[in-house]
Amino acid sequence: MNTPHTKSVVSCTINGNATQFLADSGGTLLNALRDDIGLTGVKEGCGTGDCGACSILVEDRVTCACLIFAPEAEGATIVTIEGLAEADHLHPLQETFLEGAALQCGVCTPGFLMAAKALLDKNPDPTETEIRYALAGNLCRCTGYDKIIRAVQDAAERMRENA
Amino acid sequence: MTMTEDPTTPGYKWVGTRPIRPDGLDKVTGKARFGADLILPNMVEAAVLRSRHAHARILSIDTAAALEMPGVQAIITGDDFPPTDDMAPGDAHQAVKVMARDKVLFEGHPVAAVAATSRAEAQAAAKAIVVTYEQLPHVLTVDEAMADGAPILHDDLITANVDPAPETASNIASRAFFERGDLDEGFAAADAILERSYTTKPVHQGYIEPHAAVADSGQNGRANLWVSSQGHFDMRTMTAKVLGMSASKIKATPAEIGGGFGGKTTIYLEPLAVLLSRKANRPVRVVMDRDEVFMATGPTSGSSMKIKMGIKNDGTITACDLWMAFEAGAFPGSPVGAASMTALACYDVDNFRIEGFDVVVNKPKVAAYRAPGAPISAFAVESMIDELARAIDMDPIELRLANAAKEGVQAPYGPVFPRIGFIETLEAIRDSDHYRSPVPEGQGRGLASGFWFNIGGNSVATVNVHADGNVSVITGSPDIGGSRSSMALFAAEEFGIDVERVQPHIADTDTIGDTDVTGGSRVTLATGKVVVEACRKIVTDLCRRAAKTWDCEIEDVEWVQGHAQHVSGTESPLSLADLAANAGRTGGPISATHAENVRGAGAGFSTQLVDLAVDEETGQTSIVRYTTAQDAGKAIHPSYVEGQMQGGVVQGIGWALNEEYIHRADGTLDNPSFLDYRIPVASDLPMIDTIVVEVPNPNHPYGVRGVGEVGIVPPMAAIANAIDRATDCRMEHLPMSPVALLEAINERNAD
């Protein structure tokens, strides 16, 4: 295990851009995103799918990048934290996380934002319980989750008003 | 769901408001660079080979085959480090902690490290290093370690603070002892006396970002070090000591830090990275995997405690006898001293004896964890006080009020308290909607309190006014939970300018003066104070410049809402921007530095109330409602004060209900992952209601006390007290996991 592997060319779409990269056949998509493509906003907290810090969207589904081999990204449409904001404005979740102080150290924040986006894209008016279960795969050790849940509630309301 | 209550901020324009944090945008867009995010040109990656044994003698390390592996640039072992013979004992222990020498003392103890062109190559080469061990018997608990004939970890460890000093080595590193009054008299005066024993398990800080370091060593004997830590000055100094370097030869640059809670106040990877970089002649990055974090970095102590307390029917606590032994891990340094000092600090008790032992065991060396030691002794004391309240049929808040520490009371560890806010936290809970609501059917309600010292310490701030009148505030305090916001708010308040015109910055060890770690709840207090003082120097300078401009005496100039004004009103006020634009003609650039060893930290108190339900078929506890009241002194950015309070509570909930290190009989850790070491997740919890109490610290310009730590002190006892009232099961061992609670329920049913 973890011995060097052969490399293959992978073509996919990342944050709206057609992207090609050389994938280590035994390497994770997380390592490819961070070290080869330079998307270090995707964080590694555990490498075993337990913390959610590397949450990204693959075909609109929230996914741990550490649980996918890099070659599996072939043909996929991927969104990372770097693709969440537009050039001239933030996503409502980013706004409400900032306004509501929903981050302390901020290392889990990219994963929470992507998981919360996946939730609100499917369910624009979630209950508190639905939010808590949708985010149960994302660990935060700083906040006790209170302000994160409130920020997601506020973003949902803002998105419904602007829908 | 009640909303959090907002403190009021009379007289201030900025302090007490909730602006967006200056580093926020980078942290919600993925731009913020944490420890593992740095990639340097020509950089190589490292892996650490760690012991699989809890206690063993290293007979040989053969790196020959590994050196021939693809991509390998350098390998280091204990032989590459300076000898520890001439080091102070603490430094020597630190040096041996980061790289084993003749023995390994815990599973995960580093024995070698490899730098290679990829992480996979480094890991493969590490596996190819052949280490021959002679396994030794190990000890995992304080009971095992203190037993007669126990295997000894350190042949030269003589118990400190015991008279006469022992003549032979043991696993007991030191003894803490505090006493007052007459215990026999105290117990004789009691109407009720209870005796209990409690145990707690090691728990990990559980920060989401694993440890990481990048080093670039040069042929001139200097090194650049990038660290994710709570204090890059300390990282630099500790690394230099371990490597036999002068501290100033290392320039440490702080990365953003992904959580620490005390656990990132010490070194693990940093000296390895510097040494590997020197040997490889390339920059080296080394990052821990999560299992390495659990195996080899600091949990806080497991413990064993015995307590006896006496009380009168009127609620007066008459005596307390507390004995504690804390696991230090493989090297001395558990927080049993702080646990001893804090144990009774909430109360005015005439007669007590507190004895604590620091005990080495074959587990990772403990590191600081949020109010180190205090949550452990508070679990015993606050559980006991709840039982005493039931024994004399007294309301637990009234009992605490009857004994509460207040201004003029001598703390158990010596000093006399100045103005403190413990009583106010009790009253805040007593008057809360939560406490005044009846306990819902089928639930239990528990209450507990806690104390933490808070500290001041060394901080430096440089404040620069740019030519456009905007301000940079430079400090050396890593921002672990929003402290940049507080620094900006202080400067905005002092200058009378919009907070968005202030840009805080955290500088490297060559750029700002020596600053202590972000720990001890000290940054808003101490670094905040030096920011305020530097701003005040500049305001004085600005008034001088205005006086020069107006050709008047400085006494005729006052600073009002961001402007210099002539007291006579005859001159047009000069704004900060006006004065900055004209700085070249009034004395040059506008800049001031203030450095101080800040004293006068204000003690922090917290009182917490929890309602919970227990599923009697599974033993599962559900937290239904939680309210925490804490004296902040002054909340500078209330959202981040609430965040500290909520975060501390939830770490405490995890400690109470789930978290523990589970060791196999062979001394290896059975649960080094977030799957098996289960920290609380969003679906486990309700909202955490906060009541920010503000009893100003008289020794701080804005009344700040410090808020980071005390919130984790009460939860374990509060939850144990609530479980007792819900189930009639008194839990004396942490965690109160479903398995443990189900066992207690079954025992209760059998009785």
Side-chain angles (χ1 to χ4, degrees):
Chain A
M1 72 180 261
N2 277 325
T3 48
H5 297 270
T6 54
K7 303 220 174 198
S8 58
V9 176
V10 174
S11 301
C12 57
T13 301
I14 302 178
N15 298 331
N17 300 311
T19 305
Q20 282 196 329
F21 65 95
L22 264 182
D24 188 332
S25 62
T28 64
L29 179 57
L30 174 59
N31 286 344
L33 289 171
R34 286 180 52 80
D35 291 339
D36 300 329
I37 304 171
L39 296 173
T40 53
V42 189
K43 302 302 178 194
E44 176 163 355
C46 68
T48 50
D50 297 318
C51 80
C54 65
S55 296
I56 59 173
L57 301 185
V58 179
E59 312 301 345
D60 296 328
R61 287 173 59 94
V62 63
T63 306
C64 286
C66 73
L67 295 182
I68 306 175
F69 284 118
E72 293 183 84
E74 176 64 35
T77 299
I78 292 167
V79 183
T80 72
I81 185 64
E82 288 89 348
L84 187 58
E86 304 290 333
D88 59 348
H89 65 273
L90 295 175
H91 188 279
L93 280 161
Q94 292 170 311
E95 292 174 351
T96 57
F97 267 60
L98 289 177
E99 292 162 10
L103 54 144
Q104 283 178 32
C105 80
V107 80
C108 71
T109 308
F112 268 97
L113 288 168
M114 300 314 289
K117 174 179 160 51
L119 168 68
L120 297 187
D121 285 349
K122 276 187 304 201
N123 180 356
D125 192 10
T127 64
E128 181 190 330
T129 301
E130 286 171 334
I131 296 171
R132 289 186 177 277
Y133 277 90
L135 299 181
N138 292 78
L139 300 181
C140 170
R141 192 59 157 173
C142 294
T143 65
Y145 304 102
D146 182 301
K147 293 185 191 304
I148 292 175
I149 306 302
R150 293 182 199 277
V152 176
Q153 290 172 324
D154 291 347
E157 189 180 338
R158 197 170 295 185
M159 290 166 75
R160 288 196 304 276
E161 284 168 0
N162 296 334
Chain B
M1 207 56 62
T2 55
M3 286 299 294
T4 51
E5 294 176 23
D6 217 346
T8 53
T9 57
Y12 296 135
K13 181 165 166 50
W14 292 106
V15 162
T17 65
R18 302 172 186 247
I20 288 173
R21 59 196 284 168
D23 54 322
L25 182 64
D26 282 357
K27 286 180 175 161
V28 299
T29 54
K31 290 178 185 172
R33 297 176 98 181
F34 290 84
D37 296 340
L38 182 65
I39 297 173
L40 294 177
N42 203 33
M43 186 176 83
V44 293
E45 307 276 352
V48 180
L49 177 66
R50 297 175 183 278
S51 166
R52 291 290 164 198
H53 303 297
H55 196 191
R57 195 170 306 285
I58 299 172
L59 301 179
S60 66
I61 302 176
D62 183 354
T63 60
L67 278 166
E68 300 305 314
M69 299 277 286
V72 171
Q73 303 291 305
I75 297 179
I76 56 169
T77 68
D79 288 344
D80 291 278
F81 286 75
T84 59
D85 313 339
D86 296 335
M87 294 183 186
D91 295 338
H93 288 146
Q94 182 89 284
V96 175
K97 179 193 84 177
V98 301
M99 184 63 78
R101 309 300 159 92
D102 56 333
K103 286 209 300 186
V104 292
L105 292 157
F106 58 98
E107 185 205 15
H109 200 162
V111 290
V114 184
T117 46
S118 73
R119 172 111 167 115
E121 288 169 333
Q123 288 170 325
K127 281 195 169 59
I129 297 171
V130 181
V131 185
T132 320
Y133 295 101
E134 175 199 350
Q135 280 200 65
L136 301 170
H138 56 264
V139 290
L140 292 176
T141 64
V142 291
D143 290 344
E144 291 171 17
M146 296 171 86
D148 288 340
I152 300 295
L153 273 71
H154 303 279
D155 293 337
D156 56 352
L157 189 63
I158 303 293
T159 311
N161 199 24
V162 174
D163 190 27
E167 289 176 2
T168 54
S170 75
N171 293 320
I172 303 172
S174 65
R175 168 178 176 267
F177 189 73
F178 298 89
E179 65 177 339
R180 180 186 299 164
D182 186 316
L183 267 189
D184 293 337
E185 267 182 32
F187 284 118
D191 294 311
I193 296 172
L194 294 177
E195 281 189 77
R196 294 287 182 267
S197 298
Y198 302 92
T199 63
T200 69
K201 293 288 185 64
V203 294
H204 198 275
Q205 297 81 352
Y207 31 81
I208 306 301
E209 180 204 32
H211 294 261
V214 176
D216 188 5
S217 301
Q219 285 79 358
N220 57 0
R222 292 182 174 270
N224 283 300
L225 185 59
W226 290 263
V227 291
S228 167
S229 84
Q230 291 172 243
H232 44 298
F233 288 88
D234 274 20
M235 298 301 111
R236 171 201 68 166
T237 305
M238 288 188 258
T239 299
K241 276 186 180 159
V242 164
L243 298 178
M245 299 169 71
S246 287
S248 64
K249 300 264 180 164
I250 299 175
K251 173 184 162 186
T253 302
E256 294 301 327
I257 170 173
F261 315 105
K264 289 180 184 165
T265 57
T266 188
I267 51 170
Y268 298 101
L269 301 173
E270 292 79 5
L272 280 53
V274 170
L275 214 45
L276 281 170
S277 174
R278 194 187 293 166
K279 211 165 176 180
N281 193 26
R282 295 173 73 168
V284 171
R285 176 170 68 174
V286 55
V287 182
M288 283 194 198
D289 285 336
R290 177 56 56 180
D291 61 346
E292 295 180 279
V293 175
F294 277 115
M295 280 192 297
T297 73
T300 193
S301 299
S303 72
S304 178
M305 299 178 281
K306 298 183 181 73
I307 186 169
K308 179 180 176 186
M309 281 180 93
I311 195 165
K312 285 187 186 172
N313 285 329
D314 69 1
T316 307
I317 299 170
T318 59
C320 177
D321 191 5
L322 173 62
W323 180 96
M324 298 183 284
F326 278 28
E327 297 172 15
F331 303 94
S334 80
V336 74
S340 304
M341 294 162 82
T342 57
L344 291 177
C346 287
Y347 305 108
D348 183 8
V349 180
D350 289 335
N351 308 293
F352 61 80
R353 179 173 64 190
I354 302 168
E355 185 172 35
F357 292 95
D358 181 33
V359 184
V360 293
V361 297
N362 293 110
K363 293 180 183 174
K365 164 77 190 328
V366 300
Y369 183 21
R370 207 167 203 156
I376 300 171
S377 54
F379 173 57
V381 169
E382 294 291 306
S383 294
M384 169 60 90
I385 284 181
D386 197 63
E387 286 209 74
L388 291 171
R390 295 187 79 168
I392 62 166
D393 194 24
M394 190 169 182
D395 177 277
I397 290 188
E398 295 306 322
L399 190 156
R400 285 174 173 83
L401 282 168
N403 296 279
K406 55 182 178 288
E407 184 173 1
V409 166
Q410 187 185 16
Y413 55 94
V416 173
F417 282 121
R419 183 78 170 92
I420 53 174
F422 178 41
I423 287 172
E424 285 79 356
T425 69
L426 289 164
E427 291 171 342
I429 290 292
R430 184 192 62 197
D431 300 339
S432 68
D433 175 63
H434 184 173
Y435 196 73
R436 293 154 76 101
S437 304
V439 183
E441 183 68 27
Q443 296 181 18
R445 174 170 291 172
L447 178 130
S449 296
F451 160 86
W452 184 246
F453 313 92
N454 301 327
I455 62 169
N458 294 303
S459 286
V460 186
T462 293
V463 176
N464 295 318
V465 180
H466 299 284
D468 61 5
N470 291 340
V471 172
S472 290
V473 173
I474 305 165
T475 74
S477 293
D479 178 355
I480 202 163
S483 58
R484 285 182 182 90
S485 268
S486 296
M487 300 308 121
L489 285 164
F490 284 129
E493 193 71 49
E494 288 292 321
F495 287 123
I497 61 172
D498 192 297
V499 72
E500 290 190 7
R501 290 175 54 190
V502 182
Q503 186 63 39
H505 181 70
I506 299 152
D508 63 68
T509 52
D510 278 356
T511 305
I512 191 79
D514 276 24
T515 297
D516 289 339
V517 293
T518 295
S521 302
R522 65 174 289 277
V523 170
T524 308
L525 175 113
T527 306
K529 177 157 191 278
V530 296
V531 168
V532 168
E533 297 294 343
C535 290
R536 289 180 179 177
K537 285 180 183 175
I538 288 184
V539 166
T540 301
D541 180 40
L542 293 168
C543 290
R544 184 192 59 73
R545 290 168 191 259
K548 187 172 181 180
T549 305
W550 293 328
D551 196 20
C552 68
E553 297 298 316
I554 191 171
E555 288 74 24
D556 295 331
V557 181
E558 54 188 5
W559 189 259
V560 182
Q561 292 178 351
H563 294 74
Q565 288 184 1
H566 196 284
V567 290
S568 70
T570 51
E571 304 281 356
S572 297
L574 291 169
S575 70
L576 182 58
D578 296 334
L579 290 159
N582 205 31
R585 285 183 287 278
T586 56
I590 304 170
S591 177
T593 294
H594 186 79
E596 185 177 334
N597 184 357
V598 177
R599 300 298 182 191
F605 291 87
S606 173
T607 297
Q608 301 180 4
L609 187 67
V610 57
D611 292 356
L612 54 77
V614 175
D615 182 333
E616 296 239 341
E617 290 188 358
T618 64
Q620 175 82 33
T621 298
S622 300
I623 306 294
V624 180
R625 186 172 184 183
Y626 208 109
T627 304
T628 173
Q630 183 177 324
D631 179 15
K634 175 71 202 166
I636 304 305
H637 191 305
S639 295
Y640 291 105
V641 172
E642 295 160 1
Q644 290 296 321
M645 294 166 67
Q646 292 163 333
V649 163
V650 169
Q651 284 189 315
I653 290 171
W655 196 340
L657 294 178
N658 281 305
E659 295 178 34
E660 60 178 316
Y661 268 38
I662 301 169
H663 276 86
R664 305 181 187 96
D666 69 0
T668 58
L669 183 60
D670 199 27
N671 61 334
S673 74
F674 276 137
L675 185 64
D676 296 315
Y677 182 97
R678 194 177 180 289
I679 72 173
V681 303
S683 55
D684 295 336
L685 298 161
M687 296 296 187
I688 308 296
D689 296 331
T690 56
I691 304 171
V692 178
V693 174
E694 294 187 319
V695 177
N697 172 8
N699 297 314
H700 188 273
Y702 286 86
V704 167
R705 290 185 182 275
V707 294
E709 290 167 290
V710 71
I712 201 175
V713 180
M716 286 67 81
I719 290 169
N721 296 343
I723 287 174
D724 187 26
R725 284 167 201 255
T727 63
D728 213 20
C729 294
R730 172 51 65 174
M731 303 299 287
E732 293 168 353
H733 310 286
L734 296 182
M736 299 173 281
S737 62
V739 174
L741 188 46
L742 193 58
E743 198 173 299
I745 288 167
N746 289 339
E747 275 178 29
R748 178 204 66 192
N749 290 345
D751 287 343

